[in-house]
Amino acid sequence: AAPAFAQEEAAEEAEGPITVSGGVAVVSDYRFRGVSLSDKDFAVQPYLTVKHESGLYVGVWGSNLAENTGDDVEVDLYAGFAGGDTVTYDIGATYYVYPGVSSFNYVEFTGKLGTTVGPATIGGQLSYVPSQDNTGNTDNIYVATNAAIAIPDSPITITGSVGLEDGAFTGGSSKLDWSLGATAAVSGFTLGVAYVDTDRRSTFAFKDSKAGVVFSIAYGF
C-alpha cells in the first residue's frame, strides 16, 4: 500500500496547483436563454479554462453566430471564483465580445449556487448586466434554476432549466425560457438533445425564440 500511496502523491505534486481544461462542442442550434443566435443553424463552440486550486479561474469560450447579426463570431472572456462542498458557489463576470462590431460588447456579472440531493444536482443563478453604453444605458437581469438527474447504472442524465429575463435584452417586457433534455457519455464524448422554448416568438430576429429541438456533441479534456 505504501508504494501505491507514494505514486499517487507524486502524481498530485506533478499536477500542480493549476489545472487546464478545454474542449469543443458542435450544436445544431446556438440557443442562449431560449433564443437562437445562430438562426437555427449549426454552431461550433470551443472553450478553454485555467483554474487555480484556490478556486480562481479564467477562460475563453467562442461560437459562430447568425450572419444577419452584423457579426458572425462571439467570444466570451470570463473569470471568477468557485468552490464549496455540500453547497457549491460560483461568482464571476463575463465580457461578451463581438469582433468587428464593438458596439455589441457588454459585461455581465453572475452568481451561482448548487447542491446535490440523491441522484439530482440542482442549482440557481442570478445574472446582472449593469447599465452601459452598449445596452442602451439600460440594465438587464436574468434569474434561472436548473436540475440534472443521473439515471442509475446508465450513462444518461436528464436535464432541465427555467429562466426569467427582464431588461435591456427583452425590449422592456420579461421573457420566460425553459428546456428539458438528456445527455449521455459515450466513448469520451457527451451526446445531448434538448427541447427549448420561450413564452414569445421573436426577440432579436423573426421567430428566433420559437420552440425547437437542439442536438449536440461535445468532447472535453
Side-chain angles (χ1 to χ4, degrees), residues 31-35 96 108 125 127 142 165 175 177 198:
R31 291 276 179 151
F32 182 67
R33 299 172 183 172
V35 181
Y96 297 85
E108 180 178 65
Q125 81 171 71
S127 296
Y142 182 72
E165 185 171 31
K175 172 182 66 66
D177 68 82
T198 72

Side-chain angles (χ1 to χ4, degrees), residues 114-201:
T115 191
T116 300
V117 180
T121 300
I122 58 176
Q125 81 171 71
L126 171 62
S127 296
Y128 179 69
V129 176
S131 174
Q132 49 203 284
D133 290 343
N134 290 355
T135 64
N137 294 311
T138 304
D139 62 1
N140 193 81
I141 189 169
Y142 182 72
V143 182
T145 183
N146 58 78
I149 303 175
I151 298 178
D153 303 318
S154 83
I156 299 174
T157 298
I158 305 300
T159 62
S161 68
V162 178
L164 179 65
E165 185 171 31
D166 191 19
F169 305 139
T170 60
S173 60
S174 62
K175 172 182 66 66
L176 185 69
D177 68 82
W178 58 91
S179 69
L180 180 63
T183 63
V186 180
S187 301
F189 291 85
T190 300
L191 307 179
V193 59
Y195 173 83
V196 183
D197 199 2
T198 72
D199 63 348
R200 61 171 63 184
R201 288 295 164 260

Side-chain angles (χ1 to χ4, degrees), residues 89-116:
Y89 60 87
D90 187 342
I91 301 172
T94 301
Y95 184 48
Y96 297 85
V97 180
Y98 302 89
V101 190
S102 61
S103 60
F104 288 177
N105 300 352
Y106 67 96
V107 64
E108 180 178 65
F109 301 96
T110 296
K112 298 179 180 179
L113 290 175
T115 191
T116 300

